[in-house]
Every structure is written in structure tokens, then in C-alpha cells.
Amino acid sequence: MSGNGASSSSLNMISGEDVVNNNLSALVVDDSPLLRLLHDIHLKKYGLKVQVAENGKVAVDLFHLGASFDLVLMDKEMPVMNGVEATKELRAMGVTSMIVGVTSKDGPGEQQAFMEAGLDYCFEKPLTPEIISFLLEELNKHNKD
Amino acid sequence: MDVVNQLQRQFIDYSASLHREGFLDDQFTQLQKLQDDNSPDFVVEVASLFFEDCEKLINNMARALEQQQGVDFKQVDASVHQLKGSSSSIGAMRVKDVCIAFRSFCEAQNREGCLRCLQQVTHEYSLLKNKLQTLFRLQQQILAAGGSIPVVE
């Protein structure tokens, strides 16, 4: 599934009790310090515990060391190990976290290759409050099952 | 009208002009809404990272385009792609729009077109940096006067 960034919306509407969750953890994987900061603060606003990684290899190594996360935000284009390779590795390791690809506006073929690596969702950056809210609702549903 | 009210009014008017003139889009407003007591300098930090990114990427593009013995347009495009991503994330609409045009010239392997876009993106970045620094100065003045920063929708 892929989606586009939505237009503006007040955070007040979205940060209701049903989506502010203190039990969820997230890993933000992006080679851009700006995007790492942005997504870090954004997810913390919703009560998630957040770690960051600057490329796919750092992310994979974290999982190898025994870390686990409910949500992984995975950038596509990164040095050392890109998002496609990292996603494939994580799924091959048996990681069942929700992995959400975050891309610039690429052609449909490129997003498809990323999805086929094992993503749950793929959205254009930057993630909007609506998209984050949607992802957290999906995570909460999954945790209740 | 007291000092804080006047400063807040100046801030609101200046913010509105930045949006009206296309320097910033709604993404910047979303960033401002993320700022709170736990992350009081968030917007300034994001802007600083953006400035660093821009300068590094613009230098990369310039160096790549200087090569007389065949420009590596993929390398230029990679930098433009990154800049487009950063500028989208902060709401730097005019910078982002130049990047879109820039990518087309990279794809067409048009060096002259790329050089024109490089000039344009450098200009837009410089303008935006100046305007954001002005905005942040207004913010500091409001806080120093004991007021709070209005969020401009």
C-alpha cells in the first residue's frame, strides 16, 4: 500500500488518548539528520520510545543485538545499506515489526521494489500527523489481536 | 498595544508573508506545532540542520558540475534529490520547486540547465535562510519580552 502526504491538520485533533501510547517503540532509519530529528520528535509527541539509525546496516545490527521495535520507519536511499536491502535482511531474520518505507516522490516502479522487499506500508516523506496517526491505530489494533 | 502584542503581531504578519510569497508551506506550520516545552528549540534545530544540509549539497552539486571532463549527472541528481527531500520536510517550498526543475535537467543531462538551477537554488536558499533568521529573531524578542510564540495557521 502506498500513500501520499496529506494536507495540513491540527495535531490537537489527532493527539487524543486513543493514539497517544506509552508502550510502543520505534526505530527511525534515515541518513538525513534532519529527517531523523523530525520523525524522532514527531513520534515522541505520540508517546513512543524512539531510537534512530543512520543507515540500514545500523538498523540491522540493532536487531542482531536483540533490540526490538514495534515500528520501523525506513528511508529508501541510504549509504552503506539502503532501505530495500535492510528491509529484506530484517524479514529474512524473522523480524515481524511494522516496517514503513519513507521515500521521496519516486516513480511507481521504485516504490513497488521497496514494497516487495517486505514493507507493510510505504509513504512519501515527510510523514504527516494523519499518516502517523493511521500507523499507530494499525499498531494498536495489531497489539490487541 | 503593549510590547508583547506588537511583537506578536509583527511575527504573525511576517510569518503570513513568508507563506504568501511561497517561501514556506504548510509543512513549516506542522513543524511549529511540534515545538513544545519538551522541545522548545525544535524549529531552530531543524532549520539549522537544513542550512547545513543545503550548504553541503549545494557545494557537492557545484563541484560535480565544474567537471569539464564529463559531468556525472547521477551524482548531481543524487544531491538534488536529497535537497528536495530536506526542503520538503521543512516546508521550504521555493527551494523544493527549484529542485524539481533541477532534476529534469539532470535527467536530460543538460549542463547549462543544471548550472542555471544551481544558481537559482543557491539564491532561494540564501533568501530563505535570511528570512528564517529574521523570523527566529522575532521569536527571541517575543520570548525575551515575556510573551509566547503564536502559531500561524
Side-chain angles (χ1 to χ4, degrees):
Chain A
M1 170 179 172
S2 67
N4 294 322
S7 57
S8 70
S9 169
S10 166
L11 271 180
N12 291 334
M13 181 180 84
I14 299 158
S15 59
E17 285 171 12
D18 53 341
V19 287
V20 173
N21 191 311
N22 291 320
N23 298 322
L24 295 176
S25 60
L27 177 65
V28 175
V29 190
D30 202 306
D31 62 327
S32 163
L34 191 157
L35 266 300
R36 286 200 300 270
L37 176 65
L38 206 74
H39 287 139
D40 176 46
I41 295 287
H42 221 147
L43 291 170
K44 278 177 176 161
K45 206 96 170 131
Y46 287 89
L48 278 81
K49 294 177 186 52
V50 184
Q51 258 187 268
V52 298
E54 65 263 32
N55 61 57
K57 183 173 185 310
V58 173
V60 168
D61 286 348
L62 278 171
F63 279 91
H64 271 304
L65 289 170
S68 69
F69 302 94
D70 298 290
L71 171 68
V72 178
L73 294 188
M74 184 77 78
D75 184 26
K76 183 166 168 274
E77 303 292 340
M78 291 181 286
V80 185
M81 184 187 285
N82 65 35
V84 175
E85 290 306 313
T87 302
K88 283 181 185 170
E89 282 241 9
L90 291 176
R91 293 307 191 204
M93 284 165 62
V95 169
T96 58
S97 311
M98 180 187 283
I99 305 180
V100 177
V102 184
T103 68
S104 295
K105 199 169 189 170
D106 296 328
E110 294 186 52
Q111 238 183 24
Q112 188 181 338
F114 202 3
M115 287 295 297
E116 286 168 357
L119 296 179
D120 293 288
Y121 299 100
C122 193
F123 292 105
E124 281 172 26
K125 54 174 102 170
L127 297 186
T128 62
E130 287 91 344
I131 290 172
I132 293 181
S133 185
F134 164 78
L135 292 174
L136 295 181
E137 281 174 21
E138 292 300 300
L139 274 173
N140 284 329
K141 269 189 231 169
H142 177 77
N143 285 348
K144 280 178 190 163
D145 291 343
Chain B
M1 218 186 216
D2 69 9
V3 170
V4 170
N5 281 347
Q6 281 203 44
L7 290 171
Q8 287 173 330
R9 174 46 47 191
Q10 278 176 35
F11 178 86
I12 290 169
D13 289 346
Y14 194 69
S15 280
S17 76
L18 294 184
H19 283 84
R20 200 169 47 243
E21 291 165 25
F23 286 101
L24 297 173
D25 64 23
D26 186 63
Q27 178 60 22
F28 189 78
T29 309
Q30 298 303 320
L31 293 186
Q32 288 175 306
K33 288 177 179 174
L34 284 174
Q35 186 160 289
D36 60 16
D37 292 340
N38 292 328
S39 49
D41 300 317
F42 172 64
V43 180
V44 171
E45 281 177 28
V46 168
S48 298
L49 286 171
F50 173 67
F51 297 152
E52 279 175 31
D53 245 6
C54 277
E55 280 160 29
K56 180 192 78 178
L57 292 169
I58 285 172
N59 281 339
N60 289 349
M61 292 168 206
R63 270 202 307 276
L65 285 167
E66 268 167 22
Q67 303 303 317
Q68 294 298 332
Q69 254 87 329
V71 171
D72 185 344
F73 285 100
K74 277 205 169 122
Q75 193 184 358
V76 180
D77 185 64
S79 293
V80 179
H81 176 82
Q82 278 191 61
L83 182 57
K84 182 171 157 276
S86 294
S87 54
S88 291
S89 301
I90 196 176
M93 196 160 78
R94 280 161 63 148
V95 174
K96 182 193 74 179
D97 287 346
V98 176
C99 288
I100 293 171
F102 203 153
R103 292 202 79 190
S104 302
F105 285 115
C106 289
E107 205 173 337
Q109 303 201 0
N110 181 331
R111 185 168 179 264
E112 289 310 310
C114 285
L115 285 169
R116 279 196 303 274
C117 283
L118 176 64
Q119 207 173 23
Q120 249 183 301
V121 87
T122 306
H123 176 67
E124 288 297 339
Y125 157 65
S126 181
L127 281 177
L128 177 66
K129 183 175 180 181
N130 187 269
K131 288 182 186 289
L132 282 177
Q133 286 173 336
T134 302
L135 188 73
F136 296 148
R137 263 198 309 277
L138 281 169
Q139 272 184 199
Q140 285 305 114
Q141 287 168 2
I142 293 170
L143 294 172
S148 59
I149 312 299
V151 177
V152 181
E153 297 285 350

